[in-house]
Amino acid sequence: MHSFFQRCTLFFTNNTVHVYPYINKMSLDIAAIGAQKVKGIPSGESVEMKSFWQDQNTVIIFFRRWGCVFCRLWAKELAEIAPVLKKHDIKLVGVGVEEVGSKEFVDGNFFDGDLYYVEDMSTYRNLGFKRFNTISILTSLFWKQSRDAISKGKSMDLGGDLKGDWVQTGGALLVKKGGEVVKHFVQTGPAEHYPNKDILQAFGLEHEYNPETMANKKPDANACPRRNPNFWQKLHSIWAERRCKRRINLTQ
């Protein structure tokens, strides 16, 4: 337990303790990242990431899972600034860790941009996107940030599922034409999103920001995740199953 907290950062707010995995500051090798390959959804065409910013400014969002309600919510919130990005010829790209669940994401029209998934998980590792474990990911769902996002996602009927790799974190990469990195954002919690206002500001478009429609609105106060017991039952079942398997492996 002591070694776990040595690898974490503790934040205290409103008598609540929030435990975030500690993230070392890293220098980003944009040439190495640009050489990483991703596959288009649904085409399956393989391209190098540097092709995204070769001829235009680019916003790349690295999602956790296609069925993640936090990711679907982030995608929907980005739609609020998508018209501004298009007007200024800024490419909006969404990247996932795998193809699993991508069809439902596409069919749900959650994201107003091009979608891809990585060919190799080293892309996420090279970007400094960490992985939770079973206990820490379940604990993170009770953080206020997560509870607010779940509530908002429920009010927007975003759905969600537990398919795929649900302990991975993501982030964002904002790159100017030619390869100059203007922002490298790394999630410290599964519901953490890089704000729309900051994305526009990174490209000198703060004057285009409209707080009335682009401010990542607060969740509906009448929607509460506790009213959806099936969601928590599914999470508990997965946690119990993995804990059981772990005990079996330890006794063998």
Side-chain angles (χ1 to χ4, degrees):
M1 181 63 71
H2 179 66
S3 62
F4 169 77
F5 283 108
Q6 283 184 321
R7 299 193 302 270
C8 298
T9 302
L10 303 182
F11 292 91
F12 297 84
T13 59
N14 297 326
N15 297 320
T16 302
V17 180
H18 302 283
V19 183
Y20 292 90
Y22 178 74
I23 301 210
N24 290 315
K25 291 184 178 180
M26 59 177 291
S27 58
L28 191 67
D29 186 346
I30 191 62
I33 297 298
Q36 297 281 331
K37 291 186 176 182
V38 292
K39 288 188 176 181
I41 298 173
S43 69
E45 179 184 1
S46 180
V47 299
E48 290 185 326
M49 287 185 61
K50 63 184 178 183
S51 64
F52 296 153
W53 57 77
Q54 189 169 9
D55 299 315
Q56 62 188 125
N57 296 338
T58 304
V59 174
I60 308 174
I61 305 299
F62 293 88
F63 293 114
R64 300 178 56 247
R65 286 188 307 111
W66 301 120
C68 168
V69 66
F70 303 137
C71 298
R72 292 182 176 187
L73 176 59
W74 194 2
K76 278 293 188 182
E77 291 178 341
L78 286 163
E80 299 167 359
I81 61 171
V84 177
L85 298 178
K86 288 181 180 178
K87 183 172 73 170
H88 292 276
D89 195 31
I90 299 175
K91 189 178 185 67
L92 180 60
V93 176
V95 176
V97 300
E98 55 195 343
E99 188 178 13
V100 174
S102 60
K103 184 180 185 303
E104 292 86 347
F105 192 86
V106 172
D107 292 344
N109 295 313
F110 297 110
F111 189 69
D112 191 6
D114 299 329
L115 291 173
Y116 297 82
Y117 65 94
V118 296
E119 290 191 359
D120 192 287
M121 283 299 295
S122 62
T123 303
Y124 272 60
R125 290 195 298 271
N126 291 341
L127 284 162
F129 301 150
K130 307 300 182 180
R131 295 175 64 80
F132 281 83
N133 57 45
T134 303
I135 300 299
S136 59
I137 192 65
L138 290 175
T139 301
S140 72
L141 296 177
F142 293 93
W143 297 348
K144 186 179 186 304
Q145 183 184 60
S146 298
R147 287 187 281 112
D148 287 348
I150 291 172
S151 180
K152 183 176 180 180
K154 181 177 173 60
S155 71
M156 296 171 64
D157 196 25
L158 298 181
D161 56 56
L162 298 174
K163 296 178 182 177
D165 185 349
W166 52 284
V167 297
Q168 179 65 54
T169 62
L173 190 63
L174 280 56
V175 188
K176 286 187 177 180
K177 176 182 177 180
E180 179 189 348
V181 177
V182 293
K183 181 62 182 181
H184 173 213
F185 166 71
V186 178
Q187 286 183 322
T188 56
E192 186 180 16
H193 303 160
Y194 194 60
N196 287 340
K197 182 178 180 180
D198 293 351
I199 292 175
L200 295 182
Q201 188 174 21
F203 292 102
L205 300 174
E206 55 270 23
H207 60 285
E208 298 267 12
Y209 178 74
N210 183 350
E212 295 292 327
T213 59
M214 303 176 184
N216 306 86
K217 299 175 183 176
K218 294 181 179 179
D220 183 352
N222 295 321
C224 176
R226 294 175 184 172
R227 296 178 184 175
N228 183 10
N230 290 333
F231 177 83
W232 300 109
Q233 288 171 2
K234 289 178 182 178
L235 287 175
H236 182 269
S237 296
I238 291 176
W239 174 78
E241 181 181 355
R242 294 199 175 194
R243 186 179 182 186
C244 182
K245 288 181 178 179
R246 184 179 179 184
R247 286 181 174 177
I248 292 174
N249 291 334
L250 288 174
T251 58
Q252 289 179 346

